Amino acid sequence: MTVAAMLPKNWERRLIDLNVKPLSDSDIEWADMVFLSAMNVQEESVRKIIEQCKRKNAIIVAGGPLFTHEHERFEGVDHFVLNEAEITLPLFLADLKFGQAKPIYKTHEFADVSQTPVPQMDLINMKDYLYAIVQFSRGCPYLCDFCDVTTLYGRKPRTKSVEQIMAELDLIHKTGESQLVLFADDNLIGNKRILKSDLLPALIEWQYKTNPGLYFATQLTINLADDEEMMRLMLEAKFRNIFIGIETPQEESLKFSLKIKT
């Protein structure tokens, strides 16, 4: 939905979430281009989609974590728009306008997410989902060797503005279909200073003024337990579900991943 909001305003869009319904041949025939995004665990599904699209002679534009990591493994894709779309998608669109779109667009830079547009939520039916999703930050300060977040998004957490998050929450609230909103950050407390000074106070104020009946969930690191103020603010903001990963009990491994100080 975020990528859709970055496309030219005069383009017609249709979003097919394969978690909700299958991709039909008529959907492919309707489109001038098929934009495909996936994570690594969805590779099997991706290969089926590429095969289906090629049978219909569709032009495929692919991006997201799976292709950013290993695009060279996928034949049949016409254009790869890799890394963060805020940077590479405008380059693709500019070349496409003049009929000069290249096979691959990638960058080593990280996007300014304070300029990321509000997701185009009218492309989905919220009744199809148990909960809604927003993303406040990208990136994580730690170095866990099993995780690709720092490779994709860097070690300096970049955050959206409070105004962006409030606009997204207002849209979710207006649908009236969700009671739970997942903050899909890989580590919500990666930037504790901004979270405590900006976002959590704004969420608390929004909850009191709006009374939306919305509760929040997220994932973060166990060092939340060391910060009494953070826990109090999160509870007051109505965070009710917290996922915490316990990666290892070994002190040397925790030092290597920068989760404890040496």
Side-chain angles (χ1 to χ4, degrees):
M1 293 182 288
T2 299
V3 171
M6 301 178 192
L7 298 175
K9 300 302 181 186
N10 62 332
W11 283 21
E12 293 183 61
R13 303 155 174 81
R14 181 181 297 178
L15 191 152
I16 307 297
D17 180 354
L18 269 70
N19 292 299
V20 174
K21 66 177 183 178
L23 177 67
S24 68
D25 285 348
S26 61
D27 290 321
I28 299 171
E29 292 165 354
W30 172 87
D32 296 307
M33 284 186 169
V34 175
F35 281 66
L36 174 61
S37 181
M39 297 185 291
N40 297 63
V41 297
Q42 297 164 324
E43 178 176 341
E44 182 179 351
S45 175
V46 160
R47 293 194 180 280
K48 292 178 181 178
I49 293 170
I50 292 174
E51 182 181 346
Q52 183 181 2
C53 289
K54 287 292 103 177
R55 288 200 302 267
K56 293 295 179 180
N57 297 314
I59 297 173
I60 302 175
V61 183
L66 172 61
F67 301 108
T68 294
H69 280 314
E70 43 193 348
H71 66 274
E72 64 280 353
R73 294 180 54 237
F74 295 90
E75 297 181 0
V77 174
D78 300 280
H79 308 283
F80 290 101
V81 181
L82 308 177
N83 305 103
E84 294 184 276
E86 290 90 343
I87 297 175
T88 53
L89 184 60
L91 301 176
F92 166 73
L93 294 174
D95 288 346
L96 181 67
K97 185 177 181 179
F98 295 101
Q100 300 174 349
K102 296 190 284 286
I104 300 176
Y105 294 82
K106 56 184 178 179
T107 181
H108 295 294
E109 299 177 13
F110 295 117
D112 177 2
V113 295
S114 69
Q115 302 302 309
T116 301
V118 173
Q120 193 176 342
M121 292 189 61
D122 62 325
L123 292 175
I124 65 169
N125 184 347
M126 280 302 303
K127 291 182 179 180
D128 292 331
Y129 299 90
L130 290 174
Y131 57 86
I133 292 179
V134 298
Q135 184 187 51
F136 176 57
S137 65
R138 293 184 201 161
C140 179
Y142 301 118
L143 284 173
C144 302
D145 60 6
F146 57 83
C147 180
D148 66 350
V149 168
T150 53
T151 301
L152 287 170
Y153 305 124
R155 291 191 54 233
K156 182 180 180 181
R158 294 159 286 131
T159 62
K160 292 181 179 177
S161 68
V162 167
E163 290 75 18
Q164 286 171 286
I165 294 297
M166 293 301 107
E168 294 185 35
L169 290 175
D170 283 337
L171 282 177
I172 292 168
H173 175 43
K174 286 177 182 177
T175 68
E177 299 296 338
S178 297
Q179 288 185 306
L180 179 66
V181 178
L182 172 67
F183 276 78
D185 303 46
D186 295 289
N187 180 12
L188 184 67
I189 63 173
N191 191 323
K192 290 184 178 181
R193 180 184 60 83
I194 291 180
L195 188 67
K196 290 167 75 170
S197 65
D198 295 355
L199 181 62
L200 290 176
L203 290 177
I204 292 168
E205 182 181 7
W206 184 75
Q207 290 280 16
Y208 281 122
K209 285 186 175 180
T210 310
N211 191 25
L214 290 175
Y215 297 93
F216 302 128
T218 193
Q219 54 187 3
L220 39 73
T221 46
I222 191 63
N223 50 343
L224 170 69
D226 297 326
D227 195 325
E228 291 283 347
E229 182 187 11
M230 181 79 79
M231 289 191 287
R232 178 184 60 79
L233 289 171
M234 291 186 71
L235 282 170
E236 193 172 351
K238 297 192 177 180
F239 278 86
R240 293 295 182 264
N241 302 88
I242 303 295
F243 177 86
I244 297 175
I246 307 296
E247 295 84 4
T248 175
Q250 298 180 358
E251 187 171 324
E252 287 303 313
S253 297
L254 290 170
K255 288 179 181 179
F256 178 79
S257 62
L258 306 181
K259 292 203 169 181
I260 60 175
K261 296 180 179 180
T262 57

